[in-house]
Every structure is written in structure tokens, then in C-alpha cells.
Amino acid sequence: MTHIALTVHQIARPTGFPTPDHFRFVESPVPYPAPGTALVENLYWSVDPYHREMMDADFALNAPLEGRTLGRIVASRELSLPEGEIVLHRQGWRTHSVVHPEEVRRLPMHEGVPLSAYLSVLGGTGLTAYVGLTRIARLREGDDLFVSAAAGGVGTATGRFARLLGAGRLIGSAGSARKVTDLTERIGYDEAFDYHTAPVADLLAKAAPDGIDVFVDNVGGEHLGAAIGALRERGRVVRIGTVGQYNAPGTTAALFDHADMVEKSLRMEGFLVRDYADVQEELYEFAVPHLLSGALTLDETVVDGFGRIVEAFLLMLGGGNTGKMLVRAAAG
């Protein structure tokens, strides 16, 4: 094990799109665990759209960034945290983390399931998609769905889960022709469009001329307005994120006919996945058999090397990933 630990600090607040200058890598000796704690050598890091929103005020400056991380316990002074065990924690953007028992979640380590899956389709990303479909949308067999940012981590998981749950037609939006092709040819969407090519309302009307039952929204803005217009009676909107506004502080809020909400008996609900930790085991029970059978495929973009974590984060914000963006400690 190396004797030098690396952490990433945010050192300035961005206005608009962040740059590498908003971050700094800091070296320090690898910490030694105090009684009741354990030292984790981190293996995988999740970089997520919500990190950008938190950069505006929530993350402390000149301190390590938080985030979902998988690592192996390499030194322990706590009986409940044995050395060699793989754990998930939120000590974030650092190569080594000292954790207390209440700060980690042990992984079931299903045989045949790649470790990365516990940060993607079986992790917070997959749980967000699963909760959105089963708890918020209350998906019914045959429901037609529209998903914004459909080529991202939550979008790909939503599409794959919805298909397994018996959804009808799946329509997705993405930011490039390549991603549109990927959505329809590999991920299982019936229709997809590049939202840069025309007004979203026009593109959605062409893709779903008979309307939709559910909109899973990762973007907000124009997408939200278009979807409300396309929803059928008793349609549902699942609000997950507003990535379209994270890097544009002056972005106008979504414009839509507010009468639609009443006249079509629509329901719009947002949620935070942290409030649904009790659904995690249900997600395992649903998804793991499909992973093992091949009916469910991992959609991941993996960047190797902790030194590239900022690069990976900025690449993800710019739409450079398909599926979940992950950083891996080393190739292999």
C-alpha cells in the first residue's frame, strides 16, 4: 500500500461550467485508524450530476469532496469492520478514507456481479431509477414513458428497468446523434431524439404522437414543459434532477400550460433517493437475477486512475458518458 494519500478539494465557487481550476489535489500521509474506526483503500468513485449543484454552496471550500465510493478495508481497529471487507461509503474524492461503522454499508457481493455494479445499476443510480418507477411513477404495465437525459446513468437504468417492469413504448432524449443511436440500438428505447436539433415539444410530438403516461425528468426546463403538454390524463412526472440548469444560473424555469395540471389530473413529484434506503434490498432482489441471466446489462463509462477524477467529472457534465460515469483506481 502506498504511503501517500490524495484528496480532491474544491477551492473556488464556479459561475457556469466548472473548470479544473476549481479543484486541487492535496497530498498527505495515509491516515492511521483511531480506535473504533477502519482505514479503507478506495477502489471506485462515483461522479454524479448532483455534485455540480452542491459546488455552489453545499461543499466546503478547501476540504475533501464527498461522494459514493467503494473500497477495501486495509487496516482496522474495530471488530465490526474486518480487514479485507469491501464497503460502500460517502467519504468521497480521496484515495484513502477512515470510517466509523455507521458510515459504511456492507455489500452482499453476489457471485458473478461486477464490483462496479454496486455504484451503478445496484447503487444510488439504479436505486434512483427503481424508486422513480416503482414508488413515484407507480408504473403500470403498458405505460408509455419519456425519459430526459436518457443516455446518462439514471436514464439508462430507467430504460432498462422500465422494460423489465412491463412498460409500453420508451422514448428518450439525448445530446448527440451517437447517443440517440445507442439508446435505440443497444439500451432498448423505442424512439429517441437529439434535443439540439429542434424544439423539444416538436421532437416529442413526433416521437410520441399519441402522448405519454410518465415523464422521468433528469433535466427540467424545456423538456419539462414539453412533457407536461404531451402527458395523457392522469399522467405522472417524476422529478429527479435539473442538470440542464446546473451550469447556467440564469436559465429560465420551465414554461407550460398550468391548466394542464388540473384538466388532465396530472401528478408531479420529486424525491431524494436517500429517503428510500429501505428499498435497497428490494432493488437487489429485482435486479441481480436479471444481471446474472443477461437480461439486464451494465451501462458504464469507466475512467482509470484517481488522478483523472476531475477530468471524469467535467466529462460527465459535458455529456461525454453513456450510462454511469465511474472512476476506477487502476485498470483490471
Side-chain angles (χ1 to χ4, degrees):
M1 184 177 70
T2 179
H3 297 290
I4 300 297
L6 283 177
T7 64
V8 177
H9 291 193
Q10 181 185 341
I11 60 173
R13 303 287 183 202
T15 300
F17 205 93
T19 71
D21 293 336
H22 292 101
F23 304 90
R24 181 174 64 223
F25 284 84
V26 178
E27 291 187 357
S28 64
V30 171
Y32 187 73
T37 70
L39 174 65
V40 177
E41 185 173 25
N42 295 319
L43 303 172
Y44 280 91
W45 297 263
S46 174
V47 292
D48 298 288
Y50 82 86
H51 285 121
R52 171 60 190 90
E53 188 175 23
M54 295 187 72
M55 288 181 70
D56 289 336
D58 297 282
F59 286 145
L61 295 182
N62 301 302
L65 298 178
E66 69 93 46
R68 300 184 186 98
T69 307
L70 290 178
R72 179 180 291 107
I73 296 173
V74 293
S76 180
R77 300 181 69 187
E78 166 57 47
L79 288 176
S80 67
L81 297 175
E83 293 180 10
E85 187 168 29
I86 302 292
V87 295
L88 184 147
H89 63 86
R90 299 190 69 95
Q91 297 294 329
W93 292 22
R94 58 183 101 194
T95 57
H96 299 78
S97 306
V98 173
V99 297
H100 292 83
E102 65 272 15
E103 294 173 326
V104 305
R105 179 161 60 84
R106 292 168 175 81
L107 300 178
M109 302 305 293
H110 300 93
E111 186 176 355
V113 173
L115 185 59
S116 62
Y118 295 97
L119 277 181
S120 60
V121 75
L122 298 180
T125 297
L127 186 60
T128 298
Y130 186 76
V131 167
L133 290 171
T134 63
R135 299 308 197 269
I136 311 302
R138 301 168 198 167
L139 187 72
R140 297 185 291 261
E141 188 171 354
D143 277 346
D144 295 330
L145 270 71
F146 171 44
V147 182
S148 60
V154 172
T156 53
T158 297
R160 292 194 184 277
F161 286 172
R163 184 66 71 207
L164 292 168
L165 289 166
R169 296 184 73 243
L170 301 179
I171 300 109
S173 72
S176 71
R178 177 187 62 80
K179 289 186 175 182
V180 166
T181 299
D182 206 37
L183 286 173
T184 56
E185 293 187 358
R186 190 179 64 82
I187 296 170
Y189 279 80
D190 296 290
E191 296 283 346
F193 57 79
D194 178 352
Y195 65 85
H196 292 111
T197 60
V200 175
D202 294 344
L203 294 167
L204 181 56
K206 182 178 179 180
D210 297 323
I212 56 175
D213 299 296
V214 174
F215 175 44
V216 178
D217 187 20
N218 299 290
V219 174
E222 185 184 0
H223 281 77
L224 178 57
I228 288 176
L231 280 165
R232 299 168 181 150
E233 186 174 351
R234 301 195 182 280
R236 290 89 75 203
V237 176
V238 181
R239 290 283 293 119
I240 289 174
T242 314
V243 70
Q245 298 178 25
Y246 291 164
N247 296 308
T251 301
T252 303
L255 300 177
F256 60 90
D257 185 349
H258 289 71
D260 277 347
M261 296 294 297
V262 176
E263 293 171 2
K264 293 194 287 187
S265 299
L266 304 182
R267 178 168 57 83
M268 184 188 306
E269 183 176 351
F271 71 99
L272 295 174
V273 72
R274 68 188 182 201
D275 295 330
Y276 290 86
D278 61 317
V279 184
Q280 183 67 58
E281 291 300 321
E282 182 182 325
L283 172 62
Y284 289 153
E285 292 172 5
F286 168 76
V288 169
H290 290 305
L291 276 173
L292 296 177
S293 73
L296 178 61
T297 302
L298 297 180
D299 300 295
E300 299 173 348
T301 298
V302 180
V303 172
D304 281 318
F306 180 76
R308 298 180 63 196
I309 192 169
V310 172
E311 174 190 343
F313 174 59
L314 299 180
L315 183 66
M316 179 271 302
L317 288 180
N321 60 300
T322 297
K324 175 65 181 167
M325 176 64 89
L326 296 172
V327 177
R328 180 169 50 192

